[in-house]
Amino acid sequence: MLFNSLQFALFLPVVFLVYWLLRRSLRWQNLFVVAASYLFYGWWDARFLLLIAFTSLCSYFSGLAIGRAREQGARGKAWMWANVAVNLLVLGVFKYYDFFAQSFADVFLGGQADGLLLHVVLPVGISFYTFQALSYTIDVYKGTVNATRDGVAFFAYVSFFPQLVAGPIERASSLLPQFERGRSFDYALAVDGLRQMLWGFFKKLVVADSCAVYVDKVFAAPSAYGGTTLVVAAVLFSFQIYGDFSGYSDIAIGTAKLFGIRLRRNFNVPYFSRDMAEFWRRWHISLTTWFRDYVYIPLGGSRVGSWRVVFNTLVIFLLSGFWHGANWTFLAWGLFHALLFLPLILLHRNRRYRDTVAEGRRLPNLREVGQMLLTFLLATVGWVIFRSPSIGFAFSYLGGVFQQGEYLSLLTNDYFFLPAALLLMLVVEWFNRDGAHEFARQPRNRVLRWVGYMLLIFIIVCYMQTSEMPFIYFQF
Amino acid sequence: MRNIILFVPLAVLFTLLMICLLGGTKVLRNVTYHLGHEDHLYTKVHECMEMQGVDVLFFGSSHAYRTFDPRIFAEHGVRIFNMGSSMQTPLQTEVLIRNYLDTIKPRLVVLEVHPDVMPHDGVEPAIYQVCNVPPSWKMVPMALRTRNMRVVATTAYALVHNSLSSEFRHFNEPVDVGEDHYVAGGYVERDTAYYSPVTHPSKEIVTRDLQRRALERCVGLLKGKGMPYILLEVPDTKVLLSSYTNLDCFQNDMMGYGEFYFNYMAALDDSLHFFNEDHLNQRGVELYNAYVCDSIIIPILNSL
C-alpha cells in the first residue's frame, strides 16, 4: 500500500480510530498494530508476510536466548551470530544472489547464467526491516537493550507500518519501549504529525514526482540531449530523490505521531550542508548511524591508524552503497562518497560543521553559499552514478554534460511550476533548518497558520503529479 | 480535535474556491478545462435534446462516431443518433446513458466496444466530458472513480464554470475542425485518406476492472429501463487485429454482457477502406454501414 494512494487514505483513518478505541488494553492495541501493519504490507504481496514473520521470530527467539545466556553468565555470542547469519542469508538470497550469480556468469561462463539465477521478486523494504531486526539482537548482545518477553510488542516493533517499508530504521532502545508501555492520545503531537505529513506529501507529490517526469525522460536517452539539459536533469534528480525519500520519511514520522509513537529523524536539511561530512550527518540519518554504530565503531572507527581509518571508511561507504541494491553503480556511488569523505577524516576536518549553517542569522554569508553549492554539486555528481543503470552509462552521462545538443525546456505545461515549487521547498526548509522537522515552525496566529496549510493543500491538489508513482526507496 | 474537524471542511471549501477563481487562468496544472473537441460532444449533447423518433442510439469511442453515419442509415430507413466521443469508455457512457437516454428514447441502443478502450484509464475522456457536457452531479461519481486529481479538479471547475458562465451557454462549436467535418446526428466525417499498413508489435488486451464494472452498470441501467441493446465491435485493420494476442478472450468476455457482434467484413481492405489502423475512411464507412444496417440493425428493429 502506498502512502500516496486512495487505499491509504481510507486505511489510515480506520486504523487510527480502532487503535485509540483499544487504548485501554495495551496487548490488544499492539496486536492491532501488528494486524494493521501486516495488512499494509500484505496489500503489496501477501506471500512475503511469511518472510517478515520469519525475520521477527528469529530475532525474537535469539534475543530471548541471548538474554537467558547472559543470566547464566555467558554472552550468547553464538545466538547473536546465528541470528545475524540467518537474517543476512535471507537478505542475500532475495536481494543479492542473482547479482552475484550473474556477475559470476559474466566472468566465467560468458554471461550464460540461465541455470544459476533464481529470479525471485525483491520483497519491498526487506533491507529496512532486516536491519531493524538485526539491531535488536546486536543491542541485546551488547547489553544496551534487555531481551523482551513481549512477543506482540516485538512484532509491532519490527512491522510498525509507517516505517516498515522505507524506514526510518529504528533502534530497539527507542521504539520497543514505546510499544511496551501504554500510550495516551497527545493532541499536540498528532497535529504536529499531520503538519509533517502535509509537508511530506508536498515534497513527494509535487516536487519529487514532477521532477521524475523530466528526469526519466532525460535518463531514458541522455545522448539525445545537450549538456544544459543533462545538468538540469541531474539537479532535478537530486531534488527528486530528496523530495521522494525525505517526503516518505516525513509522512512516516508524521503518521507514527498520530499513534503516539515518536520515530527518529531521518533527514535534516542535507542540501544546506557545508561539506560532505555534514551532508552524511544529515542524509538518511537512520542508516548512516546504523552503519556507524554496528560496523564502523566495532571496526575501530577513527581511533586507529590512518590506513585502518581509510579501510574502515571504505568499508562503511561501500556497504552503504551496496545496501541500496545489487548493482555496481551503487558500489561506485559508495566509493565516490568514500573518496570525498576520506580527505576530511584524514585531515580531522570531518567534525568542523556540527552546528546549523548561518545559525542565529536569517541568511548565509557568501562563503557558506559557496560551500553549500559545492557540496550540492558533489552530491549531484554522486546521484548521477546512483541513478544510472550501469557505470558506463554514468560516465557517458557525465561526459555528455560538456556536449551540445537539444534542450528540454522547463517552461512547458508539464514543468513550468517546478522552479517555483523547488523554491518554495528550499525557502520553507531554510527557515526551518534548526526546527524539529522541516515544517515545524509555524506562525503563532492561527488564521495565518491555517491559511498556510490550506494554500499547501491547494498547491498539492492543483500541481501534484496525477499518475501514481512508487517511492524510490521501496526498491531497497 | 474540534479544530481538526473544523479545518477539514474549511480546507475543502478553500481549495474549491481557489480552483474556481484561478481555474480559467491556465496556471493550475491539474485544471485542464477546454471547451470544444474534435468529437463535437458539446454540439451532440445539445442537438440530442431536440431529437425525436430515434431508432438507434450509439455510444462509444471515436470508433463509433467515425463509423456510424446517420445519412447512410437514413437511406435504409433507420434514424440513428451517434453519441460517441473521443476514447469514450464505459465510465463516460454510463453518465451519458443516465443523462440522455430518457430524453432521446431510442428503440435500440448500440454499445460500441473496442479492445483498446477497455484497458483505458478513462482520464482524458472524463476531462473532455466534464468540460463539454452540461453540468450535472452525475459526473461527480464518474470523476471520483478515475481516482485522478486532474479529473477531480477539472470537474470541480467545469461544474461551477459551466453553470455560471455564459461562455458555455453561448459556445458555438465550429462544424469543421482540421480534416474533420461534423454531420448532424453525431457523425464526424474525415476527408478521404488511405492507410499504408505497417506491422504492429504484439499486445495483450488487459481490461481494467474499473471499465468492466462500469460496463456492468451500463448494461444494468439499460436492462433496468427495459431498453433493448447490443454490443458491437467495429472493424479494425487486419494488421491491428493480428497484433492482439488475446482477441478471442476479449470477445468471449464481451459476450457475457449481452448480444455481441464482431463480424469483420471480409470485403474490407486495410489500404482501401481505412484512414488509419483503427478507423474506416468514408469508402469503408459506406460499405460497413450498409452491411450493419441490413444484416444486424434492421432485423433486430423488426423483431422488437
Side-chain angles (χ1 to χ4, degrees), chain A residues 72-309:
Chain A
Q72 292 164 2
R75 295 185 67 196
K77 196 172 186 173
W79 285 109
M80 189 274 288
W81 279 114
N83 185 54
V84 168
V86 167
N87 274 300
L88 291 184
L89 186 69
V90 170
L91 189 61
V93 167
F94 280 91
K95 190 164 178 175
Y96 299 107
Y97 172 79
D98 276 2
F99 168 74
F100 283 119
Q102 183 66 57
S103 301
F104 176 81
D106 287 345
V107 175
F108 298 107
L109 305 173
Q112 295 298 313
D114 291 348
L116 291 176
L117 300 182
L118 294 176
H119 295 295
V120 283
V121 179
L122 179 65
V124 168
I126 187 170
S127 308
F128 289 93
Y129 65 72
T130 303
F131 270 44
Q132 191 157 311
L134 279 179
S135 79
Y136 165 75
T137 320
I138 299 170
D139 283 350
V140 172
Y141 170 74
K142 282 160 69 178
T144 49
V145 165
N146 290 326
T148 183
R149 291 180 187 283
D150 185 344
V152 177
F154 183 76
F155 268 61
Y157 157 74
V158 176
S159 65
F160 186 43
F161 73 89
Q163 45 88 244
L164 171 60
V165 287
I169 302 166
E170 277 298 330
R171 302 294 176 78
S173 56
S174 150
L175 185 56
L176 192 53
Q178 296 188 66
F179 283 113
E180 287 175 326
R181 61 172 181 256
R183 299 168 287 274
S184 52
F185 182 70
D186 181 339
Y187 177 75
L189 186 68
V191 169
D192 190 49
L194 287 172
R195 190 184 296 136
Q196 196 166 356
M197 287 173 75
L198 182 61
W199 188 241
F201 277 118
F202 167 74
K203 283 198 281 189
K204 165 64 182 162
L205 298 173
V206 179
V207 175
D209 288 356
S210 302
C211 287
V213 177
Y214 189 98
V215 171
D216 289 350
K217 208 169 186 175
V218 176
F219 271 80
S223 55
Y225 299 101
T228 315
T229 303
L230 298 191
V231 170
V232 172
V235 168
L236 289 184
F237 182 64
S238 298
F239 285 116
Q240 181 197 342
I241 195 161
Y242 172 68
D244 193 284
F245 194 19
S246 76
Y248 176 90
S249 298
D250 280 336
I251 300 167
I253 296 167
T255 306
K257 284 177 181 172
L258 294 177
F259 296 89
I261 300 282
R262 291 171 193 271
L263 300 179
R264 57 172 46 213
R265 192 171 188 176
N266 213 17
F267 287 85
N268 187 2
V269 288
Y271 290 152
F272 298 143
S273 302
R274 287 154 289 182
D275 63 20
M276 289 315 289
E278 188 182 7
F279 176 84
W280 278 109
R281 277 194 294 276
R282 294 174 178 276
W283 181 276
H284 202 175
I285 299 164
S286 64
L287 180 70
T288 313
T289 51
W290 198 99
F291 276 116
R292 183 196 65 196
D293 294 345
Y294 298 115
V295 181
Y296 186 66
I297 291 175
L299 285 173
S302 55
R303 295 179 180 180
V304 285
S306 296
W307 285 110
R308 187 63 197 229
V309 169

Side-chain angles (χ1 to χ4, degrees), chain A residues 18-87:
Chain A
V18 177
Y19 176 87
W20 288 114
L21 284 174
L22 294 171
R23 68 186 181 281
R24 289 180 196 285
S25 166
L26 179 62
R27 196 165 183 77
W28 279 105
Q29 201 180 38
N30 283 342
L31 208 54
F32 179 69
V33 167
V34 176
S37 300
Y38 274 52
L39 176 68
F40 179 87
Y41 191 75
W43 204 270
W44 169 69
D45 191 331
R47 289 173 302 169
F48 291 119
L49 288 174
L50 288 173
L51 202 60
I52 191 170
F54 175 72
T55 299
S56 305
L57 276 175
C58 287
S59 299
Y60 174 67
F61 283 115
S62 64
L64 284 180
I66 295 167
R68 210 170 296 125
R70 293 178 74 87
E71 283 167 11
Q72 292 164 2
R75 295 185 67 196
K77 196 172 186 173
W79 285 109
M80 189 274 288
W81 279 114
N83 185 54
V84 168
V86 167
N87 274 300

Side-chain angles (χ1 to χ4, degrees), chain B residues 139-197:
Chain B
M139 286 191 274
V140 175
M142 182 273 292
L144 293 175
R145 283 192 177 110
T146 62
R147 296 183 186 180
N148 185 290
M149 195 52 86
R150 199 149 63 88
V151 178
V152 173
T154 306
T155 303
Y157 177 75
L159 282 177
V160 176
H161 179 82
N162 291 354
S163 301
L164 304 177
S165 141
S166 61
E167 184 199 5
F168 184 80
R169 283 194 298 277
H170 303 303
F171 179 62
N172 195 4
E173 192 165 28
V175 171
D176 294 307
V177 180
E179 301 165 272
D180 292 333
H181 175 76
Y182 180 73
V183 175
Y187 177 66
V188 178
E189 182 178 344
R190 169 70 58 99
D191 290 347
T192 302
Y194 296 95
Y195 176 59
S196 304

